[in-house]
Amino acid sequence: MAFGVASVVTNKGKAALADRLRTTPGTYTTSPKYVAMGTGATGAGRTAAVGDTALSTEVESRTSGTESVVTTSVTNDTYQVTGTIAATATRAVDEFGLFDASSSGNLIFSATLNVISLTNGDSIAWTAKIQLT
Amino acid sequence: MVSVTADVIAGPATAARLGVPVGSVITTQEARYYRSRWQRTLWRLRHPRGGHITTLKGSK
């Protein structure tokens, strides 16, 4: 499949949302607050899809984002994570993900983007939203 | 519905180039410019005898 711009809650993400509604989640015991970015989607010809389990080429360390619940359409209907990642080299960022761990873990939210070119020292302040509709 | 937004924040090198404070939010186009110039510099280093002549010969 050719590269395209898209953002999805993955299959793992859907399972995680359901699991975490329980009093005691069985499998997904940590929240998807770990923000990740990568540079490999264009080269891999990857468009974000529900079956994604990892980014194509993840770069830099994940950051533990700030979680909140915000309003999009109905009061408090949206889960939001914000986090900033700095580039330690020139980067052509074209993918984003929310994971439930600081390394490895489950990809809950996957996105592919038009390339954002960064030079060493630049950062991206990410804001991801999952609205329940 | 899901969405993701990316605000690009200028680091020291980009801020100096653009004449803005470090930490300023810049556009992706402003961020991209540096890479383009860097790519041109790299290209010149790899083609020390001048790429324009090579390009013209190649187009015949």
Side-chain angles (χ1 to χ4, degrees), chain A residues 117 119 122-123 125 127 129 131, chain B residues 1 3 5 7 9 11 14 34:
Chain A
S117 298
T119 191
D122 291 344
S123 306
T127 301
K129 295 183 177 184
Q131 180 192 10
Chain B
M1 192 183 84
S3 67
T5 58
D7 290 325
I9 300 169
T14 301
Y34 181 85

Side-chain angles (χ1 to χ4, degrees), chain A residues 7-9 72 84 90 92 96 109 111 113 115-119 121-131 133, chain B residues 1-15 17 22 25-26 28 30-36 38:
Chain A
S7 52
V8 298
V9 174
T72 302
T84 300
T90 299
F96 166 88
F109 179 128
L113 331 154
V115 169
I116 301 170
S117 298
L118 303 179
T119 191
D122 291 344
S123 306
I124 296 180
W126 297 98
T127 301
K129 295 183 177 184
I130 301 173
Q131 180 192 10
T133 56
Chain B
M1 192 183 84
V2 294
S3 67
V4 61
T5 58
D7 290 325
V8 183
I9 300 169
T14 301
R17 175 175 59 81
V22 173
V25 174
I26 60 173
T28 54
E30 287 171 328
R32 188 179 307 126
Y33 175 75
Y34 181 85
R35 186 166 180 264
S36 297
W38 175 83

